[in-house]
Amino acid sequence: MSIDIKSMGYVRVASTDLEQWRTFAGKVLGLAEGRGPNPDHQYWRIDQVSARLVVVPSDVDQLSAVGWEVADPRALQEAREHLQKAGVAFEEGTAEELAERRVQELVRFSDPWDNVFELFHGITYESHPLVTPYAARFVTGDQGMGHIVVPVLDDVEALRFYTDVLGFRLRDSMSMPGEFVGKEPGSKVWLRFLGVNPRHHSLAFLPMPNDSKCVHIMLEVEDLDDVGRALTRVRKHKAPLSATLGRHMNDEMVSFYVKSPGGFDIEFGTDGLTVEDDRWVARESTAVSYWGHDFGGGH
């Protein structure tokens, strides 16, 4: 038995400058501002779910938690039992936290590198249709919100923890020279890409510490034109481009990367690969991208 995570449900970000986030999320990414219980927080929508991205005031700029959705109360109870058996300490969400996240139950725990994860069920969704500011439609449904890449310090232990303890499935790997992350020359470290649903990967990890506690978050839209329009808005609002337009090898996403006010990147893309678990074979890709994705930002 392992935990049956269905998808990435939401992301919570701590911010020292909410106005920057309002411009970035609304005007650059084209997310729809929603409403929520706390007037000091920002709630951003990309689909029927009441909020997929929540930005909260803080004295630091970093990712504060990722919410992973399970099916129902029984699935969450099985997750609690599985975490207990694996020796992972967790805490129950308080009544206030449940109300703020608009979920029925949640448990919170950290991975061995202090990345904070929340398992939840019963999130609310809205009756009125979503109209994003620039009419982009985001790819969610059974693929969830998107994907996230988190920093770890030990790629071997990370693969064990995320697959054995959390139930993610290996979809793809990429090796990097160890010296990139301060290991001895000639050694190798692994980026691993892990999935839980038809999206090629919902979670990946990079064995390198990172102050913002996040490498990037990916949001996917239905049309290439929406990616192009977003790229135009990146230039218009002078948001720092982290990587030019390109197509990844592993999930085939056509995307660009832009630096968020949180210090981590947002990957904004389209045409991502979907997979069927019973037919999928994990392989090692030999490059980040088929073309593009100049991480010098094209300068």
Side-chain angles (χ1 to χ4, degrees):
M1 256 316 279
S2 68
I3 297 170
D4 187 14
I5 292 171
K6 296 298 187 191
S7 69
M8 180 167 125
Y10 58 76
V11 169
R12 297 180 63 81
V13 174
S15 172
T16 60
D17 188 339
L18 267 74
E19 276 316 300
Q20 258 195 313
W21 265 104
R22 180 164 275 115
T23 301
F24 180 75
K27 298 270 198 300
V28 178
L29 300 181
L31 314 187
E33 194 158 5
R35 289 188 299 275
N38 190 325
D40 297 329
H41 295 183
Q42 286 176 17
Y43 300 91
W44 295 98
R45 292 182 62 196
I46 58 173
D47 60 4
Q48 280 181 300
V49 172
S50 299
R52 291 288 198 178
L53 169 65
V54 180
V55 186
V56 303
S58 175
D59 54 359
V60 291
D61 286 297
Q62 62 185 31
L63 181 73
S64 59
V66 187
W68 299 99
E69 187 161 26
V70 299
D72 52 28
R74 178 185 286 178
L76 190 62
Q77 182 52 31
E78 287 171 356
R80 287 185 186 97
E81 291 165 14
H82 189 73
L83 289 171
Q84 250 163 347
K85 273 192 202 129
V88 177
F90 61 87
E91 58 190 35
E92 297 289 328
T94 63
E96 186 184 24
E97 287 166 344
L98 299 183
E100 209 271 327
R101 288 155 177 75
R102 286 168 285 186
V103 300
Q104 288 174 29
E105 286 185 284
L106 79 83
V107 299
R108 180 187 304 103
F109 63 95
S110 296
D111 74 2
W113 306 278
D114 290 330
N115 296 304
V116 179
F117 293 156
E118 296 177 349
L119 296 172
F120 71 89
H121 74 82
I123 200 164
T124 61
Y125 59 105
E126 302 291 332
S127 60
H128 52 278
L130 176 74
V131 182
T132 59
Y134 305 102
R137 293 165 65 94
F138 288 83
V139 177
T140 57
D142 62 356
Q143 295 190 50
M145 175 185 176
H147 76 234
I148 191 156
V149 184
V150 295
V152 300
L153 297 180
D154 180 340
D155 52 339
V156 176
E157 173 57 18
L159 183 62
R160 185 204 70 79
F161 182 84
Y162 295 141
T163 53
D164 293 0
V165 179
L166 301 189
F168 284 89
R169 299 181 285 279
L170 180 65
R171 296 279 171 76
D172 206 81
S173 302
M174 212 180 100
S175 67
M176 268 171 54
E179 50 265 43
F180 279 17
V181 296
K183 300 266 197 305
E184 59 278 4
S187 65
K188 199 191 243 195
V189 293
W190 289 97
L191 280 76
R192 306 283 191 182
F193 301 86
L194 309 162
V196 286
N197 59 42
R199 192 181 287 287
H200 176 275
H201 59 278
S202 294
L203 173 71
F205 60 79
L206 181 69
M208 187 189 284
N210 174 322
D211 289 340
S212 63
K213 299 184 83 166
C214 178
V215 181
H216 73 254
I217 295 166
M218 189 283 302
L219 300 174
E220 184 178 2
V221 289
E222 288 183 1
D223 294 320
L224 181 61
D225 286 343
D226 290 321
V227 177
R229 289 184 189 110
L231 203 45
T232 299
R233 296 193 300 272
V234 165
R235 294 210 179 91
K236 179 182 171 186
H237 292 283
K238 299 184 168 55
L241 192 66
S242 302
T244 57
L245 194 69
R247 188 189 282 274
H248 280 306
M249 258 189 94
N250 59 12
D251 67 353
E252 300 181 6
M253 191 77 68
V254 177
S255 63
F256 66 85
Y257 290 71
V258 59
K259 185 74 77 186
S260 78
F264 51 83
D265 286 341
I266 300 290
E267 180 186 3
F268 196 95
T270 191
D271 202 25
L273 184 66
T274 57
V275 306
E276 292 175 46
D277 266 311
D278 55 350
R279 301 174 60 186
W280 184 254
V281 177
R283 291 182 172 160
E284 179 187 349
S285 53
T286 51
V288 173
S289 306
Y290 287 119
W291 53 266
H293 285 144
D294 173 359
F295 280 88
H299 302 307

